[in-house]
Amino acid sequence: MLKNIVSSGSRATREGFGAGLLELGRQNPDVVGLTADLMESLQMHHFQKEFPERFFQCGIAEANMMGIAAGLATAGKIPFTGTFANFSTGRVYDQIRQSIAYSHKNVKICASHAGLTLGEDGATHQILEDIGMMRMLPGMTVINTCDFNQTRAATIAIAAHHGPVYLRFGRPAWPVFTPDNQKFKIGKALHLASGKDVTIFATGHLVWTSIEAAKELAEQGISCEVINIHTIKPLDDEAILDSVSKTRAVVVAEEHQRNGGLGDAIANLLVHQMPVPMEYVGVKDSFGESGKPLDLLDKYGLGKKDVLWAVKDVLDRKK
Amino acid sequence: MLKNIVSSGSRATREGFGAGLLELGRQNPDVVGLTADLMESLQMHHFQKEFPERFFQCGIAEANMMGIAAGLATAGKIPFTGTFANFSTGRVYDQIRQSIAYSHKNVKICASHAGLTLGEDGATHQILEDIGMMRMLPGMTVINTCDFNQTRAATIAIAAHHGPVYLRFGRPAWPVFTPDNQKFKIGKALHLASGKDVTIFATGHLVWTSIEAAKELAEQGISCEVINIHTIKPLDDEAILDSVSKTRAVVVAEEHQRNGGLGDAIANLLVHQMPVPMEYVGVKDSFGESGKPLDLLDKYGLGKKDVLWAVKDVLDRKK
Amino acid sequence: MTDDTIPSSPSLAERRKQCNFYYMADFSKLHELCAQVRRDIVRMVFNVQSGHPGGSLGCAEFFVALYGNVLKHRPKPFKMEGKNQDMFFLSNGHISPVWYSVLARTGYFPVAELNTFRKLNTRLQGHPATHEGLPGVRVASGSLGQGMSAAIGAALAKRLDGDKRWIFCLTGDGELEEGQCWEAIMFAAHHKVDNLIVTVDWNGQQIDGPTDRVMSLGNLPAKWKAFGWDVLVLEQGNNLEAVIAMLRRAKRRTGKGKPVVILMKTEMGYGVDFMQGTHQWHGKAPNQQQFDSAMQQLPVTSLGDY
Amino acid sequence: MTDDTIPSSPSLAERRKQCNFYYMADFSKLHELCAQVRRDIVRMVFNVQSGHPGGSLGCAEFFVALYGNVLKHRPKPFKMEGKNQDMFFLSNGHISPVWYSVLARTGYFPVAELNTFRKLNTRLQGHPATHEGLPGVRVASGSLGQGMSAAIGAALAKRLDGDKRWIFCLTGDGELEEGQCWEAIMFAAHHKVDNLIVTVDWNGQQIDGPTDRVMSLGNLPAKWKAFGWDVLVLEQGNNLEAVIAMLRRAKRRTGKGKPVVILMKTEMGYGVDFMQGTHQWHGKAPNQQQFDSAMQQLPVTSLGDY
Ligand SMILES: Cc1ncc(C[n+]2csc(CCOP(=O)(O)OP(=O)(O)O)c2C)c(N)n1
Ligand SMILES: Cc1ncc(C[n+]2csc(CCOP(=O)(O)OP(=O)(O)O)c2C)c(N)n1
Ligand SMILES: [Mg+2]
Ligand SMILES: [Mg+2]
């Protein structure tokens, strides 16, 4: 099963967003776009070109953009906001909280350049806390997609879901390995490979990393279940517990702080339902820095080797 | 031991902050205060009256206040910012992140009116995600005090600690039960009562609630260890693991979302080191509402009864 | 004859009534409503010993003028999307008492519900919210500085839809210290959002004192003008006729490529002598004796207390 | 004779040297430094194929004027608290290349370190940071809109300490769309922070296009004036003498109860013909051919490449 998962080339997840948004624009006249002076970084220029009157340039004013999106949603539009993940969350948390989440507004907060793989811009831009922030908000749907195809599909899917959504994706070209005609089901974990020794739950860019690690582990005789948790909230409790009841050892891999993210979300579930040994692959309570995406993942412990070690550590503890 | 913990009356934790800040003002000429149009709510008027030239009224502009604090700290001052917990965190997360945490600034972010016990102002003001946000920030010290005396002591202690601190306290009068001449040790969990069946880790207002619950449980023959986790970051791993290795069942009680707060911080530690059954006493992924503080705690599952149930639930699972 | 003309035309009132729009043509009734709203405010705040009477009292005329006479709105059934209606957004959410009173008394929900203000399980939250489904509220407010942005979004949507009605928004003056307000102000001018009328409750007060002392807004008209708005100054924000006339004038100024702002001078606490002209009553409830004194100053009306 | 006088006095240069303050009296040397800084910028960005050449090139004169001539500063040992020195805060952190080049070439750290820009383990982060201990940087920037606030805080501290030196700050013009800037601008006027000189890089460009199209700043001088600042407009922000003269003039305008702003017109990409006057090079690196062309336009100087 693992062997069948292969990459068909590399494309940025944010391009998947751009493609999905353009399609949506054609399907649904209520879909509108907003950006805060980062139109092309978000790949929203395709939409803007075809639907200029449905696209709102907000300038460098993210707080106002969130409020405007809330107002547009109030009047029945489906606004997609686009800026970097840092400026989509921490910069505007209170605005999202009050005007969008608490007010039940149908706003899609679309966030690119999340995590370390942003690369050279460095720590001020490399948000590693956004999943943590967004998953604390009642009523928020939190999605972190793993490749171009999934991001495109998720973009289209969230328009059909009524309610606020945080859609997180990234900057660099990244292996594409999910089907290009997939249907995206919010809240439904994707079972990528069956195994019996340990379950690796991964999200975003680290899904591919985890697949690669699992392939290597398979050669060493370690059988990993690999599950793509694209939706961090609502969490697919059932899929998680099903898998863990079998493997009884867990590794969680995410491009995020070890505090507050998917790791904590799963730990929260497991200590309540099924306490088992867990290891996290994630940033260890530090800021990032400038560098090339892969070098950064390596330095901060988010590489394939780190997934391998985490699996071995957790298997040691399982004994 | 539990029996000896009695309340000597009620005072608001924020008054402890006001008293501590005034004392600090007298001790240390580098201490300066800032507020964003909430001077008396924060009880900073005592300081302001005595040291008007060292107090900066920022108006309703929290983002700017955080930046100004960073600048004051750069030049060697020890700024204490004061506003509601909501406006101290979510409103200004990116400013804290870049200008304070990432820049290693010696700023003390002091936050009142945290949680449900804010009362009638309702959900827009009742932040239940602030601990979660602040504990994700590298280098941030996160403290949530339990009564007047502890808040006063903590206020004084954080001035002596170099680095950014988030100090969280509340609005209502609340039982005072810790010594009035205490020394506050950042990062050192306070062992309040020894027990063998379960450990209750509590923070903030819910420490008192947990003590009351533990007293009642003692009468029912259930022996609770009660530990006051006033410092959520850095977490006192040793004290926690020591206790859990004995009781092997954990309840965490906090005036916060169950997602992202002290519960998740302890779950994170335990799944890595000592997976055991846990229950959370906290808000279950919902916004608050207007009402009286105790009624709200009751409705949202943060009352004494909820600690009792959580203990019983976890003991069931421990078997 | 358009609805911008003063005095108001009974035929318009009739037409609106037939379509189930709310409209009050009779000025003496509007005055009476103002008086009753003031009683409601003080009673609500006294009742739960919490809330914000000062700003609420100062804005009674504004809300009565807006909901009683200027706004084209259908209280029942309340439609979130407000298509072909005027929409109002309250940014300074702490003055919820005056809004709730006027919403109730123009038919959005039962007047008796005012009695639940700020109590557990109420729809009348301390700060206005949509969470419990209170008719009339479209976006929550309370954390300051956010309402104008939402109003602009709604105005853009109307423009997209070819809907010719107006968006109204009220903000506090202290609230203008929030940077987000200036983001919104800049945006509205740049995008020529000219179906929008913002009113500033220019009472010169905020929590910690007079605005001039806490964080001066300086030359406020000059600020708005420099940001590209059409600026109207209303000196008599507590004069009902003046407020109505100004709101109508503002409507006539729309559609010309500029957003319109009314800088409305009001007196915080207006109508209750000891609350008047001071920041002290921004967010404080009267005690029994103060309550009695206020009730004496605010005469009973034919509308009746809730 | 004060250090505000032009042409600069050799004796002052001497005095400053003796106290280990940096000071460059010779204008031809300052011009040469400008030229070298431009080479540094393009080489740094080309080297890692990332970074922001446009705004950096446009601000070369400003940084050389400031660090070479106007600022009283001691590069070594760098003191975070900057007591009795002038302090500078860069708010638009993306133009780090120009700052790093000037910091290195005025002695804050080895010029060779420019070669590490944006590479793993560097102190020269993509956006300026204190985290790795780079001398010269006091507060991180990159997320826009925050630097003016920090500068004001430092200015307040100097006032408390009776320290008579100045605080300087540079912000982008697009950056002024951030509401926090207007909070800071309002604060500084209200608190009469008159030991502060803010400069705006008024290049009329931002990422998505000309500022006028993306989010117009409208009448920018009127905005600052309405917010209570003493406003100076510099038409020739890429003329070194004009920048120095303006910075000195600004210093003379301080101490009078108002914060001072210089609206400095620059050309984005100045000095490299194909980068000039467009937003396209805000954050793009040249390819080999473009790099060669740029290097031809920016002559080698006696200072030498890093
Ligand atoms: C973001 C934010 N900061 C602070 C507060 C606390 N607060 C509530 S009302 C108020 C004063 C508002 O002043 P103004 O807008 O003039 O209203 P008025 O007092 O005149 O009613 C403040 C600071 C808040 N609600 N939101
Ligand atoms: C808060 C925030 N939002 C968005 C960005 C992305 N960004 C970086 S530079 C820039 C444009 C800045 O324009 P300006 O200040 O005029 O600088 P210039 O392009 O002229 O160098 C933007 C939008 C950012 N760094 N920070
Ligand atoms: Mg006011
Ligand atoms: Mg610019």
Side-chain angles (χ1 to χ4, degrees):
Chain A
M1 195 167 180
L2 262 174
K3 272 190 221 138
N4 299 335
I5 307 176
V6 290
S7 152
S8 63
S10 281
R11 285 186 83 174
T13 48
R14 61 187 164 127
E15 289 177 41
F17 168 67
L21 187 63
L22 177 62
E23 251 179 88
L24 270 181
R26 291 171 183 163
Q27 288 168 15
N28 188 339
D30 285 334
V31 167
V32 299
L34 302 92
T35 193
D37 199 21
L38 285 169
M39 184 171 66
E40 290 195 31
S41 291
L42 270 283
Q43 300 285 302
M44 296 176 100
H45 53 297
H46 308 298
F47 179 96
Q48 191 273 341
K49 226 165 264 165
E50 218 168 296
F51 309 104
E53 75 292 345
R54 280 157 57 194
F55 191 79
F56 302 100
Q57 173 60 262
C58 299
I60 314 171
E62 295 82 6
N64 183 46
M65 175 168 73
M66 292 300 159
I68 288 181
L72 283 160
T74 301
K77 304 297 169 196
I78 309 175
F80 281 65
T81 67
T83 180
F84 291 167
N86 189 18
F87 315 135
S88 294
T89 56
R91 185 67 172 213
V92 293
Y93 183 85
D94 188 41
Q95 285 81 11
I96 295 177
R97 186 180 194 274
Q98 172 169 288
S99 294
I100 297 175
Y102 182 49
S103 296
H104 300 267
K105 295 302 172 199
N106 193 20
V107 174
K108 316 304 169 187
I109 301 160
C110 302
S112 180
H113 291 58
L116 292 172
T117 51
L118 160 86
E120 286 84 354
D121 275 345
T124 54
H125 288 53
Q126 288 159 342
I127 189 82
L128 296 162
E129 308 102 66
D130 55 329
I131 291 177
M133 276 185 267
M134 290 299 110
R135 89 173 174 92
M136 287 193 287
L137 275 175
M140 184 64 70
T141 294
V142 181
I143 296 171
N144 186 19
T145 48
C146 66
D147 71 358
F148 174 95
N149 287 336
Q150 191 173 73
T151 310
R152 193 178 134 278
T155 303
I156 292 166
I158 61 177
H161 164 89
H162 191 90
V165 175
Y166 179 64
L167 177 63
R168 178 205 219 219
F169 41 90
R171 173 174 183 250
W174 202 253
V176 181
F177 59 95
T178 68
D180 74 348
N181 55 354
Q182 67 192 282
K183 276 258 175 251
F184 185 90
K185 279 211 186 136
I186 295 172
K188 189 94 197 91
L190 282 179
H191 198 275
L192 297 178
S194 291
K196 58 180 181 30
D197 296 328
V198 58
T199 310
I200 306 177
F201 296 107
T203 191
H205 289 139
L206 287 214
V207 176
W208 179 250
T209 315
S210 299
I211 290 167
E212 293 213 296
K215 286 180 181 172
E216 194 167 321
L217 287 161
E219 287 168 16
Q220 301 172 22
I222 297 172
S223 159
C224 300
E225 185 130 318
V226 183
I227 296 184
N228 175 358
I229 306 286
H230 52 63
T231 306
I232 290 125
K233 190 176 184 182
L235 200 59
D236 191 344
D237 293 3
E238 210 182 298
I240 293 170
L241 293 172
D242 268 5
S243 176
V244 176
S245 65
K246 193 172 59 174
T247 61
R248 301 205 70 86
V250 171
V251 166
V252 178
E254 61 187 318
E255 196 178 346
H256 195 273
Q257 295 288 355
R258 292 178 177 210
N259 288 331
L262 176 63
D264 279 3
I266 293 180
N268 184 319
L269 175 67
L270 295 182
V271 294
H272 279 94
Q273 307 273 348
M274 205 178 280
V276 299
M278 263 183 88
E279 290 290 329
Y280 290 29
V281 174
V283 176
K284 257 189 156 157
D285 200 21
S286 83
F287 288 102
E289 64 173 282
S290 292
K292 289 190 199 305
L294 295 180
D295 292 346
L296 289 167
L297 292 180
D298 198 54
K299 174 165 175 178
Y300 286 86
L302 283 79
K304 187 173 79 172
K305 69 172 190 326
D306 301 289
V307 180
L308 297 177
W309 287 342
V311 166
K312 291 183 177 171
D313 280 352
V314 85
L315 287 178
D316 274 355
R317 290 173 48 214
K318 186 183 171 183
K319 278 162 197 165
Chain B
M1 197 167 180
L2 263 175
K3 275 190 221 139
N4 300 336
I5 307 177
V6 289
S7 153
S8 63
S10 282
R11 285 186 83 174
T13 48
R14 62 186 164 128
E15 289 178 42
F17 168 67
L21 187 63
L22 178 61
E23 250 180 271
L24 269 180
R26 291 173 183 163
Q27 288 168 16
N28 188 338
D30 284 335
V31 168
V32 298
L34 302 92
T35 193
D37 200 21
L38 285 169
M39 184 170 68
E40 290 194 32
S41 291
L42 270 284
Q43 300 285 302
M44 296 176 99
H45 53 297
H46 308 298
F47 179 96
Q48 191 273 341
K49 226 165 266 166
E50 215 168 298
F51 309 104
E53 75 292 345
R54 279 157 55 194
F55 190 80
F56 303 101
Q57 172 60 263
C58 299
I60 314 171
E62 295 81 7
N64 183 48
M65 175 168 74
M66 291 301 160
I68 288 182
L72 283 159
T74 301
K77 303 297 167 196
I78 308 175
F80 281 65
T81 67
T83 180
F84 291 167
N86 189 17
F87 316 135
S88 295
T89 55
R91 186 67 172 212
V92 292
Y93 183 85
D94 188 41
Q95 285 81 12
I96 294 177
R97 186 180 194 273
Q98 171 169 288
S99 294
I100 296 175
Y102 181 48
S103 296
H104 300 266
K105 295 303 172 200
N106 193 21
V107 174
K108 316 304 168 186
I109 301 159
C110 302
S112 181
H113 290 60
L116 292 172
T117 51
L118 160 84
E120 287 83 354
D121 274 344
T124 54
H125 288 53
Q126 287 159 342
I127 189 82
L128 295 162
E129 309 102 67
D130 55 329
I131 290 177
M133 277 185 266
M134 290 298 110
R135 89 173 172 93
M136 287 194 287
L137 276 175
M140 184 64 70
T141 294
V142 181
I143 296 171
N144 185 19
T145 49
C146 65
D147 72 358
F148 174 96
N149 287 336
Q150 191 173 72
T151 310
R152 194 179 133 276
T155 304
I156 292 166
I158 61 177
H161 163 87
H162 191 91
V165 175
Y166 179 62
L167 177 64
R168 178 205 219 219
F169 41 90
R171 173 175 183 251
W174 204 254
V176 181
F177 58 94
T178 69
D180 74 348
N181 54 356
Q182 68 192 283
K183 277 256 174 252
F184 185 89
K185 279 209 185 136
I186 295 172
K188 189 94 198 90
L190 282 179
H191 199 277
L192 296 178
S194 293
K196 58 182 182 29
D197 296 327
V198 59
T199 309
I200 306 176
F201 297 106
T203 190
H205 288 140
L206 287 213
V207 176
W208 178 250
T209 314
S210 299
I211 290 167
E212 292 212 297
K215 284 180 183 174
E216 193 165 320
L217 287 161
E219 285 169 18
Q220 300 172 22
I222 297 171
S223 158
C224 300
E225 184 129 320
V226 184
I227 296 184
N228 175 358
I229 307 285
H230 51 64
T231 306
I232 289 126
K233 189 178 186 180
L235 200 60
D236 190 344
D237 294 2
E238 211 183 300
I240 293 170
L241 294 172
D242 267 5
S243 175
V244 176
S245 65
K246 193 171 60 171
T247 61
R248 302 205 71 84
V250 171
V251 166
V252 179
E254 60 186 320
E255 196 178 346
H256 195 272
Q257 296 288 354
R258 291 175 179 212
N259 288 330
L262 176 63
D264 279 5
I266 292 179
N268 184 319
L269 174 68
L270 294 182
V271 295
H272 279 94
Q273 306 275 347
M274 205 177 282
V276 300
M278 261 182 90
E279 290 291 328
Y280 290 28
V281 174
V283 175
K284 255 186 155 158
D285 199 21
S286 84
F287 288 103
E289 65 173 279
S290 292
K292 289 192 198 304
L294 294 180
D295 292 346
L296 289 167
L297 291 180
D298 198 53
K299 174 165 176 179
Y300 287 86
L302 283 78
K304 188 173 79 173
K305 69 173 189 326
D306 302 289
V307 179
L308 297 177
W309 286 342
V311 166
K312 289 180 178 172
D313 281 352
V314 85
L315 287 178
D316 274 355
R317 290 173 49 215
K318 186 183 172 185
K319 278 162 199 168
Chain C
M1 172 151 273
T2 79
D3 56 340
D4 291 326
T5 326
I6 217 169
S8 49
S9 108
S11 66
L12 174 66
E14 267 321 301
R15 280 201 324 271
R16 285 206 171 177
K17 279 259 157 61
Q18 277 162 22
C19 315
N20 212 8
F21 288 117
Y22 189 90
Y23 189 67
M24 209 182 243
D26 183 341
F27 270 67
S28 70
K29 288 220 171 123
L30 291 170
H31 277 287
E32 196 175 26
L33 183 51
C34 281
Q36 185 59 49
V37 165
R38 289 209 153 81
R39 284 184 67 88
D40 288 350
I41 292 167
V42 177
R43 293 181 74 244
M44 287 162 74
V45 171
F46 174 69
N47 192 15
V48 286
Q49 285 294 301
S50 91
H52 299 78
S56 295
L57 288 168
C59 289
E61 282 76 14
F62 172 80
F63 277 89
V64 168
L66 195 69
Y67 277 84
N69 191 280
V70 175
L71 222 52
K72 181 176 173 186
H73 64 123
R74 194 185 282 121
K76 249 185 201 133
F78 169 66
K79 296 279 192 197
M80 178 58 79
E81 300 189 3
K83 298 234 187 280
N84 299 311
Q85 297 188 43
D86 296 332
M87 295 210 256
F88 171 72
F89 293 84
L90 179 68
S91 190
N92 45 337
H94 60 278
I95 68 167
S96 56
V98 61
W99 196 19
Y100 293 156
S101 165
V102 169
L103 283 175
R105 293 188 179 274
T106 55
Y108 281 82
F109 52 82
V111 170
E113 204 168 336
L114 295 177
N115 192 35
T116 68
F117 176 61
R118 284 183 169 241
K119 292 181 185 163
L120 200 68
N121 300 321
T122 183
R123 300 196 293 178
L124 276 60
Q125 290 293 307
H127 294 83
T130 64
H131 198 62
E132 295 79 13
L134 186 70
V137 180
R138 291 191 164 93
V139 178
S141 55
S143 176
L144 294 166
Q146 303 188 30
M148 237 191 298
S149 304
I152 293 168
L156 294 174
K158 281 215 180 303
R159 190 151 84 183
L160 271 181
D161 291 342
D163 177 338
K164 298 290 180 210
R165 301 305 308 176
W166 284 267
I167 303 292
F168 293 83
C169 174
L170 182 69
T171 82
D173 52 356
E175 184 174 13
L176 294 177
E177 295 157 10
E178 283 291 351
Q180 186 181 346
C181 295
W182 299 97
E183 295 180 355
I185 293 167
M186 197 184 283
F187 179 103
H190 176 74
H191 285 279
K192 303 193 198 315
V193 183
D194 60 1
N195 54 346
L196 172 70
I197 297 169
V198 169
T199 302
V200 178
D201 177 20
W202 198 6
N203 62 13
Q205 308 287 346
Q206 57 192 107
I207 291 185
D208 284 347
T211 301
D212 279 346
R213 239 181 39 217
V214 174
M215 180 56 59
S216 176
L217 297 168
N219 186 338
L220 192 58
K223 284 189 169 65
W224 284 84
K225 272 180 207 149
F227 273 72
W229 284 52
D230 186 6
V231 180
L232 300 167
V233 175
L234 171 59
E235 294 291 342
Q236 300 180 59
N238 292 116
N239 174 321
L240 182 66
E241 283 80 0
V243 176
I244 292 178
M246 182 55 91
L247 284 168
R248 291 177 180 190
R249 190 166 148 214
K251 278 172 69 176
R252 289 192 301 273
R253 300 277 276 255
T254 58
K256 298 185 165 66
K258 277 188 178 193
V260 177
V261 64
I262 302 170
L263 304 178
M264 177 178 75
K265 291 200 182 155
T266 67
E267 207 163 343
M268 194 179 245
Y270 189 82
V272 177
D273 58 5
F274 60 89
M275 292 186 176
Q276 213 157 314
T278 163
H279 65 279
Q280 307 278 1
W281 292 90
H282 159 91
K284 200 171 86 178
N287 61 25
Q288 182 70 53
Q289 185 196 332
Q290 291 161 332
F291 175 72
D292 293 342
S293 155
M295 284 300 105
Q296 251 176 350
Q297 297 172 47
L298 301 169
V300 173
T301 79
S302 75
L303 296 166
D305 289 335
Y306 64 79
Chain D
M1 170 153 273
T2 80
D3 56 340
D4 292 325
T5 325
I6 218 169
S8 49
S9 107
S11 65
L12 173 67
E14 268 320 302
R15 278 204 323 272
R16 285 206 172 176
K17 279 259 158 60
Q18 276 162 20
C19 316
N20 212 9
F21 288 117
Y22 188 90
Y23 189 65
M24 209 181 244
D26 183 341
F27 271 67
S28 70
K29 288 217 170 130
L30 290 170
H31 276 287
E32 196 175 27
L33 183 52
C34 280
Q36 185 58 48
V37 165
R38 288 208 154 82
R39 283 184 68 86
D40 289 349
I41 291 167
V42 177
R43 294 181 74 244
M44 286 162 74
V45 172
F46 174 69
N47 192 15
V48 285
Q49 284 294 298
S50 93
H52 300 78
S56 294
L57 288 167
C59 289
E61 283 77 14
F62 173 79
F63 277 89
V64 168
L66 194 70
Y67 277 84
N69 191 278
V70 174
L71 222 53
K72 181 175 173 186
H73 64 122
R74 195 184 281 123
K76 243 181 207 141
F78 170 65
K79 296 279 191 199
M80 178 58 79
E81 300 190 3
K83 297 233 187 282
N84 299 313
Q85 298 188 42
D86 295 331
M87 295 209 257
F88 171 73
F89 293 85
L90 178 68
S91 190
N92 45 336
H94 59 280
I95 67 166
S96 55
V98 61
W99 196 18
Y100 292 157
S101 165
V102 170
L103 283 175
R105 292 187 180 275
T106 54
Y108 280 83
F109 52 81
V111 169
E113 204 169 337
L114 294 177
N115 192 36
T116 69
F117 175 60
R118 284 183 169 243
K119 292 180 185 163
L120 200 68
N121 300 321
T122 184
R123 300 196 294 179
L124 276 60
Q125 290 294 306
H127 294 83
T130 63
H131 198 62
E132 296 79 11
L134 186 70
V137 180
R138 291 193 164 93
V139 178
S141 56
S143 176
L144 294 165
Q146 302 187 30
M148 237 191 298
S149 304
I152 292 169
L156 293 175
K158 281 215 179 303
R159 190 152 85 182
L160 270 182
D161 292 343
D163 177 339
K164 298 291 180 210
R165 300 307 307 177
W166 283 267
I167 304 292
F168 292 83
C169 175
L170 182 70
T171 83
D173 52 356
E175 184 174 14
L176 294 177
E177 295 157 9
E178 283 291 352
Q180 186 181 346
C181 295
W182 299 97
E183 295 180 356
I185 293 167
M186 198 185 283
F187 179 103
H190 177 74
H191 285 280
K192 304 191 197 315
V193 183
D194 61 0
N195 53 346
L196 171 70
I197 297 168
V198 169
T199 302
V200 178
D201 177 22
W202 198 6
N203 61 14
Q205 308 287 346
Q206 56 191 109
I207 290 185
D208 283 348
T211 300
D212 279 346
R213 238 180 39 217
V214 174
M215 181 55 59
S216 176
L217 297 168
N219 186 336
L220 193 56
K223 284 190 170 63
W224 284 85
K225 272 179 207 150
F227 272 71
W229 284 53
D230 186 7
V231 180
L232 300 168
V233 175
L234 172 60
E235 295 290 342
Q236 300 180 60
N238 292 117
N239 174 320
L240 182 66
E241 283 81 359
V243 176
I244 291 178
M246 182 54 92
L247 284 168
R248 292 179 180 188
R249 190 166 149 215
K251 279 172 68 176
R252 289 193 299 273
R253 299 278 275 255
T254 59
K256 298 185 166 66
K258 278 186 177 196
V260 177
V261 64
I262 302 169
L263 303 178
M264 178 177 75
K265 290 200 181 158
T266 66
E267 208 162 343
M268 194 180 244
Y270 190 83
V272 177
D273 57 5
F274 60 89
M275 292 186 175
Q276 214 156 314
T278 163
H279 66 279
Q280 308 278 1
W281 292 90
H282 159 90
K284 200 171 85 177
N287 62 25
Q288 181 71 53
Q289 185 195 332
Q290 292 161 332
F291 175 72
D292 293 341
S293 156
M295 283 300 106
Q296 251 177 351
Q297 298 172 47
L298 301 170
V300 173
T301 79
S302 76
L303 295 167
D305 288 336
Y306 64 81

